[in-house]
Amino acid sequence: ESKELRNVKLRAGSNALAGFPELDLVDLEVEFEPGNSKEIIFDLAGTHVRYDVAKSVFLHRGVEDNGQSREMTTLLDIAPRDGAVSLRFLIDRQSLEAYAFGGDSFSAHYFNPNHGPEEQSIHALGGEARINRLVVRQLRSAW
C-alpha cells in the first residue's frame, strides 16, 4: 500500500503524515525545499531523524547501551540541489537506511524502536519548508 502527497507546506505544528496509517516497515521517498526553516523533522516508525538546514546534515537520534540518547550523523553535506533535497528512507523494525539524491550519499543505522517518537510526523521548525513530493510505501515483512 502506498500514499503520495504533493506541494505540502511544512511548519511547526503541522504534520505531513497526519491521516496516514501507523507506519511500521516503511519505504519513504521525499523531495523537499528547506525554505526559511531551521530544521525538518522526520519522526518515523521507531526512529527520529532531523535535517539541520544551516549545516546541511541529517542527524539520527539513537540510544547507547547505557540507555542514554545521543545524536549521530546520518548524512553529511546534503545541501539542496536546485533548491531541493531528495531523500529516501528504508525503515524496518530496528534499522534505518538513508539515501540522498538517488544514492549519491548513503548511511545505515540500527536503533532501539522502544526509544522512538510517540507520534509519527514530518514537520519543520523555525520557519516554513515545502514538500514537493512525498511517497510512503508500507512494506510487508519477509517473515
Side-chain angles (χ1 to χ4, degrees):
E1 181 181 338
S2 69
K3 188 165 183 176
E4 182 172 347
L5 298 175
R6 290 184 180 270
N7 302 318
V8 175
K9 289 183 181 179
L10 293 179
R11 59 180 72 89
S14 68
N15 179 0
L17 295 179
F20 274 64
E22 189 67 30
L23 301 176
D24 182 19
L25 307 174
V26 180
D27 178 354
L28 181 146
E29 292 181 69
V30 63
E31 179 186 283
F32 67 90
E33 298 174 18
N36 65 0
S37 67
K38 296 192 182 332
E39 297 179 338
I40 313 294
I41 308 296
F42 298 86
D43 285 331
L44 305 166
T47 189
H48 169 89
V49 179
R50 71 180 179 91
Y51 178 65
D52 184 314
V53 176
K55 295 179 183 175
S56 298
V57 64
F58 281 92
L59 300 164
H60 163 73
R61 186 172 61 222
V63 178
E64 297 180 355
D65 291 339
N66 63 8
Q68 295 296 311
S69 176
R70 72 176 179 99
E71 282 196 323
M72 297 171 268
T73 301
T74 300
L75 295 168
L76 282 170
D77 300 324
I78 309 299
R81 296 180 184 173
D82 297 323
V85 175
S86 175
L87 182 69
R88 184 174 187 184
F89 289 133
L90 295 174
I91 303 170
D92 71 15
R93 293 191 176 104
Q94 293 185 323
S95 70
L96 163 70
E97 293 179 18
Y99 302 83
F101 300 107
D104 285 358
S105 297
F106 166 78
S107 181
H109 297 278
Y110 288 106
F111 61 83
N112 182 334
N114 297 325
H115 297 281
E118 293 181 20
E119 181 183 10
Q120 64 190 23
S121 174
I122 300 174
H123 59 278
L125 296 177
E128 190 174 281
R130 177 181 197 82
I131 290 179
N132 295 332
R133 180 173 179 262
L134 170 69
V135 178
V136 179
R137 295 174 193 87
Q138 186 75 28
L139 303 175
R140 293 190 185 122
S141 173
W143 305 103

